[in-house]
């Protein structure tokens, strides 16, 4: 019974982490779009997009790692339940 509860909690955590990653992805695309528009309007160097990528990795890195760890934990629990 304990593994069923663990599996249910892991699935809920995975869904929450996946929703967060999707939200971050939408925000990232919006920021890239704004950076491209601003770069063209103000004749900025192409390095502006690099800054957007680096900032996104710094801000969303923890959530990415949390998503990957919950995905890995869910896979282990599902494999253990099928045995």
């Amino acid at each position: 019974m304990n593994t069923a509860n663990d599996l249910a909690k892991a699935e809920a955590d995975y869904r929450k982490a996946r929703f967060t990653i999707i939200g971050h992805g939408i925000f990232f695309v919006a920021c890239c779009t704004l950076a491209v528009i601003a770069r063209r309007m103000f004749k900025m160097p192409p390095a502006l997009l690099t800054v957007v990528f680096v900032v996104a990795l710094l801000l969303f890195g923890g959530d990415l790692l949390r998503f990957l760890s919950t995905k890995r934990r869910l896979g282990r629990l599902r494999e253990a339940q099928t045995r």
Side-chain angles (χ1 to χ4, degrees):
M1 194 63 144
N2 193 15
T3 57
N5 290 336
D6 290 342
L7 183 62
K9 183 175 178 346
E11 286 177 345
D13 291 344
Y14 176 72
R15 281 192 300 271
K16 182 179 176 186
R18 186 179 59 191
F19 181 74
T20 301
I21 292 299
I22 290 170
H24 287 331
I26 292 169
F27 181 75
F28 177 71
V29 168
C31 286
C32 284
T33 303
L34 287 174
V36 167
I37 291 170
R39 189 176 75 83
R40 288 183 182 167
M41 282 177 58
F42 300 117
K43 310 258 190 285
M44 295 177 152
L48 179 65
L49 291 177
T50 305
V51 172
V52 171
F53 283 115
V54 170
V55 169
L57 282 176
L58 289 174
L59 290 177
F60 306 145
D63 290 329
L64 269 171
L65 291 176
R66 187 175 304 117
F67 170 73
L68 293 173
S69 68
T70 56
K71 184 177 179 180
R72 196 175 318 119
R73 183 169 49 107
L74 181 61
R76 282 194 311 260
L77 287 172
R78 284 181 178 165
E79 182 181 322
Q81 189 174 14
T82 58
R83 288 183 184 172

